[in-house]
Amino acid sequence: MKHLTEFVADHKHDKRCGIFAVCSAHPLVLEAAMRHARDAQSILLIEATSNQVDQYGGYTGMTPDDFRGFVEQMADKHHFPRNQLVLGGDHLGPNRWQNAPAAEAMSHAEELIRHYVAAGFKKIHLDCSMSCADDPEPLTDEIVAGRAARLALIAEQTRKEKQGSSDLVYVIGTEVPVPGGAHETLSTLVVTSPQAAKATLEAHRHAFEQQGLHDLWPRIIGLVVQPGVEFDHTHVIDYQPEKSLALSRTIEEFDTMVFEAHSTDYQTPFALQQLVQHHFAILKVGPALTFALREALFSLAAIEQELRPAYQCSGLRDVLESVMQEHPEHWKQHYHGNNDERRLARGYSYSDRVRYYWPDHHIDEAYARLVNNLTDKPLPLPLISQYLPLQYVKVREGQLAATPHELIIDHIQDVLRQYHAACMGTSPSH
């Protein structure tokens, strides 16, 4: 299997080459990604964020070791070779403990890094950009870099203790706004300036040298910047190459490094391809995948309502809405407006706060009933055409089984195919 450093080298040789990271812990999303990568005979980069997975369990209830076991079990189930699987950790730093003093938050962050590296994660995003309770706002480049270097030292010590190989790689820097989609309505974004990118790199280089990590620099493969792409609840800010051209050229000075672009969800296929060609060669995608999952499930629920009397239906959408109303902590700080606007956002927002609710046992039971209701007899083709038209074409051509599960997987894979094509410099295939 290629090391991630080799993908950077490939990109430096041919700027059409890139790699994308699947940022989700949902079993259906991971199945779709594994089956796609298996058929494409490519590696699969799966990343967990510091709020999803940490030494205390995160919001998924999984430690890094748990997450690795979960993903590897899924890989075995779907006949995806483990040696083609690469795990990454995203925004690893004091993010989860910002409300604590910096010393306490960084102590937690050091333990977080130990757990991720010990569990065999190979791509570590060091992100210490957030201010803690007793910090100035914003932090200087020197403070951010100094903290990142402390975590890198812990990572290297852990790697050596675990007799890990030198294929552990790092990403530094952060994007603005916050990961996972903007909280507020956006109309424009400020692209990272070349000067800011260089200042981040130089501060980190100096900080790593201060920690005695002189040999680490070639394994820092990515710098996170803002190339001018983002989404809020109802809008997408599309990539505009002319605004990031100067930034794009900056990374050409660094032989072992590319840019990493976060929040690329919902960009057009052509925009994704342009991002890769302009050296934003590591693309992150997460909410767009669970958004596609939600679309497929809502479509199947609509088909169910056409085929079954109301008393037999799963009521998936009503159950979901009820649970989200009873437990608003995952959306109430994000969705604003009147009751109708918040109701629409709960179901349809690009930020897809729904993704936090799928594990709820009431929703899971409704999902199981939905699939069961639609599995006992063939789904009528006209209804597939009505509610899942892209999948209908494949069903008619004999490329796709008309079962609920396969329709869901293929709908998620429609998004994955766009990213794969962008990273291969080709057009998406269906």
Side-chain angles (χ1 to χ4, degrees), residues 92 106 110 113 126-128 141-157 170-172 203-214 216-217 220:
L92 302 187
M106 283 300 295
E110 289 177 354
I113 290 290
L126 302 170
D127 183 7
C128 297
D141 282 341
E142 288 70 27
I143 293 175
V144 172
R147 291 177 180 177
R150 279 176 57 188
L151 298 184
L153 182 62
I154 295 292
E156 287 297 290
Q157 289 171 347
Y170 299 89
V171 171
I172 57 176
H204 280 76
R205 188 198 292 271
H206 178 71
F208 290 147
E209 288 177 352
Q210 292 290 103
Q211 290 284 3
L213 298 170
H214 304 82
L216 191 62
W217 198 252
I220 301 174

Side-chain angles (χ1 to χ4, degrees), residues 94 98 100-103 105 128 130-139 143 147:
Q98 292 178 58
C128 297
M130 58 292 298
S131 293
C132 299
D134 55 352
D135 277 333
E137 291 190 29
L139 296 179
I143 293 175
R147 291 177 180 177

Side-chain angles (χ1 to χ4, degrees), residues 155-216:
E156 287 297 290
Q157 289 171 347
T158 306
R159 176 181 69 83
K160 291 171 183 174
E161 289 167 6
K162 297 294 181 179
Q163 297 181 331
S165 62
S166 59
D167 58 351
L168 178 64
V169 299
Y170 299 89
V171 171
I172 57 176
T174 194
E175 85 285 14
V176 180
V178 296
H183 295 179
E184 69 283 356
T185 300
L186 296 172
S187 58
T188 187
L189 282 176
V190 177
V191 174
T192 302
S193 70
Q195 294 78 12
K198 288 181 178 179
T200 296
L201 287 171
E202 289 309 311
H204 280 76
R205 188 198 292 271
H206 178 71
F208 290 147
E209 288 177 352
Q210 292 290 103
Q211 290 284 3
L213 298 170
H214 304 82
D215 299 331
L216 191 62

Side-chain angles (χ1 to χ4, degrees), residues 17-75:
C17 296
I19 188 170
F20 67 93
V22 172
C23 305
S24 177
H26 196 288
L28 287 170
V29 170
L30 294 181
E31 178 185 345
M34 287 175 181
R35 289 171 56 179
H36 176 270
R38 181 192 68 199
D39 294 343
Q41 297 184 322
S42 64
I43 75 161
L44 175 59
L45 175 57
I46 296 173
E47 300 208 17
T49 62
S50 57
N51 59 336
Q52 274 182 324
V53 173
D54 67 19
Q55 64 267 41
Y56 307 110
Y59 74 71
T60 62
M62 287 187 279
T63 65
D65 206 47
D66 294 334
F67 185 79
R68 178 183 178 177
F70 165 65
V71 171
E72 288 184 341
Q73 282 185 343
M74 287 205 66

Side-chain angles (χ1 to χ4, degrees), residues 83-380:
N83 65 359
Q84 290 175 227
L85 184 64
V86 180
L87 296 181
D90 200 21
H91 295 286
L92 302 187
N95 180 47
R96 289 276 282 176
W97 305 281
Q98 292 178 58
N99 294 329
E104 179 184 339
M106 283 300 295
S107 178
H108 287 300
E110 289 177 354
E111 196 62 25
L112 176 74
I113 290 290
R114 284 192 188 94
H115 276 74
Y116 266 85
V117 175
F121 285 65
K122 297 297 186 186
K123 178 176 175 288
I124 301 295
H125 175 205
L126 302 170
D127 183 7
C128 297
S129 61
M130 58 292 298
S131 293
C132 299
D134 55 352
D135 277 333
E137 291 190 29
L139 296 179
T140 65
D141 282 341
E142 288 70 27
I143 293 175
V144 172
R147 291 177 180 177
R150 279 176 57 188
L151 298 184
L153 182 62
I154 295 292
E156 287 297 290
Q157 289 171 347
T158 306
R159 176 181 69 83
K160 291 171 183 174
E161 289 167 6
K162 297 294 181 179
Q163 297 181 331
S165 62
S166 59
D167 58 351
L168 178 64
V169 299
Y170 299 89
V171 171
I172 57 176
T174 194
E175 85 285 14
V176 180
V178 296
H183 295 179
E184 69 283 356
T185 300
L186 296 172
S187 58
T188 187
L189 282 176
V190 177
V191 174
T192 302
S193 70
Q195 294 78 12
K198 288 181 178 179
T200 296
L201 287 171
E202 289 309 311
H204 280 76
R205 188 198 292 271
H206 178 71
F208 290 147
E209 288 177 352
Q210 292 290 103
Q211 290 284 3
L213 298 170
H214 304 82
D215 299 331
L216 191 62
W217 198 252
R219 286 191 282 121
I220 301 174
I221 64 166
L223 173 65
V224 180
V225 291
Q226 176 51 267
V229 300
E230 186 53 90
F231 57 91
D232 59 24
H233 306 311
T234 58
H235 300 91
V236 179
I237 295 184
D238 291 314
Y239 180 54
Q240 300 178 55
E242 66 279 3
K243 291 187 176 181
S244 63
L245 198 57
L247 172 64
S248 171
R249 289 172 178 157
T250 303
I251 208 70
E252 293 174 359
E253 301 173 24
F254 300 87
D255 293 338
T256 58
M257 196 179 298
V258 294
F259 287 127
E260 177 168 288
H262 293 209
S263 297
T264 68
D265 307 71
Y266 313 110
Q267 292 291 310
T268 66
F270 182 60
L272 293 174
Q273 197 169 74
Q274 284 185 305
L275 281 163
V276 171
Q277 291 175 358
H278 297 161
H279 309 308
F280 305 99
I282 305 173
L283 304 177
K284 308 293 283 291
V285 57
L289 298 170
T290 47
F291 184 91
L293 166 66
R294 193 271 313 154
E295 281 185 324
L297 290 174
F298 277 20
S299 294
L300 290 172
I303 292 174
E304 179 193 35
Q305 289 182 323
E306 297 290 349
L307 297 176
R308 294 273 187 167
Y311 71 90
Q312 290 183 357
C313 284
S314 63
L316 176 70
R317 292 188 61 178
D318 290 336
V319 173
L320 177 63
E321 174 66 8
S322 176
V323 171
M324 292 183 77
Q325 290 272 35
E326 289 176 17
H327 304 280
E329 57 270 17
H330 294 302
W331 62 266
K332 66 180 179 180
Q333 300 300 322
H334 302 264
Y335 298 155
H336 308 290
N338 60 36
N339 288 339
D340 282 340
E341 289 168 333
R342 283 181 291 171
R343 176 183 56 80
L344 281 172
R346 284 192 294 271
Y348 298 99
S349 169
Y350 278 138
S351 62
D352 191 50
R353 308 302 294 181
V354 172
R355 69 186 186 274
Y356 296 99
Y357 292 89
W358 293 123
D360 179 271
H361 72 277
H362 296 294
I363 297 172
D364 196 47
E365 287 173 2
Y367 161 74
R369 186 170 184 179
L370 169 67
V371 172
N372 186 61
N373 278 345
L374 297 179
T375 302
D376 57 350
K377 62 178 67 174
L379 295 179

